[in-house]
Amino acid sequence: GGVTIDFPFPAQDTESGLFVMESGPVELDGEQALAYVRSRHYQELKDGEWQEDPRADLGRIERQQKFLTVTFGKLSDTRNPFALARAASGMAGGLRIDDEMSFTDALRLGWSLRGITPESLEPLPVDQERNSSGAVLILREDEAQPILDQVR
C-alpha cells in the first residue's frame, strides 16, 4: 500500500532512481521506497539548485531509520492478520536477523511489534578519521555506553 515520507524539499538520486518532485508528505510505492532507502547520492532542490547531502552514508542511515519508523508505525496500526502476513512475508525475504529467519519468525516479529511506537535515541558519539580504508567513524566507547545500554 505504499509508505508516506515527509520530504522537506524535492529530492532525487539519479543512481538509485529516486525522483520526488514535491515537498511535504509523499506516498512512495515499493520501487521508490527502495530507491529512497538505498540512496547514496541523495540530492535536494534548495533555492533552485540540486544540492547533494554532505552527510553521505550517515544521511542514508538517517533516511533508513525514518523509513523503518514510518513502516513499523504503519504496521503497528494494522489489525488485519492477512495484511500482517503479507508484511511478514516481505520481511522474511528482505530482512535478515540471522540465517535461520523464516516466514513464521517474521510473522511473529510483525505481530509482536503491533502497538509499539519507535523512538529515536541520541546519536552515538564518534570521531571522524581517515585510515587506509578511507573515511571511518571511531566510536567513543565510554561516552556511547549509556546509549548502548538502552538497547541491550
Side-chain angles (χ1 to χ4, degrees), residues 116-145:
I116 292 177
T117 303
E119 61 182 72
S120 296
L121 299 175
E122 261 183 73
L124 290 172
V126 295
D127 293 315
Q128 295 182 13
E129 295 184 11
R130 293 196 70 76
N131 64 22
S132 61
S133 299
V136 296
L137 299 175
I138 307 297
L139 182 66
R140 287 185 249 142
E141 293 184 31
D142 290 342
E143 294 175 47
Q145 199 57 52

Side-chain angles (χ1 to χ4, degrees), residues 70-148:
V70 169
T71 301
F72 283 133
K74 187 174 180 179
L75 193 62
S76 73
D77 292 340
T78 302
R79 300 291 180 248
N80 180 332
F82 297 108
L84 286 171
R86 280 193 307 276
S89 177
M91 287 172 56
L95 175 66
R96 290 287 176 245
I97 295 173
D98 61 38
D99 292 338
E100 303 298 319
M101 185 176 190
S102 67
F103 171 79
T104 304
D105 295 332
L107 185 58
R108 282 188 192 119
L109 175 61
W111 193 260
S112 69
L113 291 173
R114 288 180 318 116
I116 292 177
T117 303
E119 61 182 72
S120 296
L121 299 175
E122 261 183 73
L124 290 172
V126 295
D127 293 315
Q128 295 182 13
E129 295 184 11
R130 293 196 70 76
N131 64 22
S132 61
S133 299
V136 296
L137 299 175
I138 307 297
L139 182 66
R140 287 185 249 142
E141 293 184 31
D142 290 342
E143 294 175 47
Q145 199 57 52
I147 300 166
L148 294 173

Side-chain angles (χ1 to χ4, degrees), residues 4 21 24 30-31 40 52 69 87 105-106 152:
T4 301
M21 288 295 95
E31 186 176 315
R40 291 184 178 272
E52 189 158 336
T69 298
D105 295 332
R152 289 193 172 120

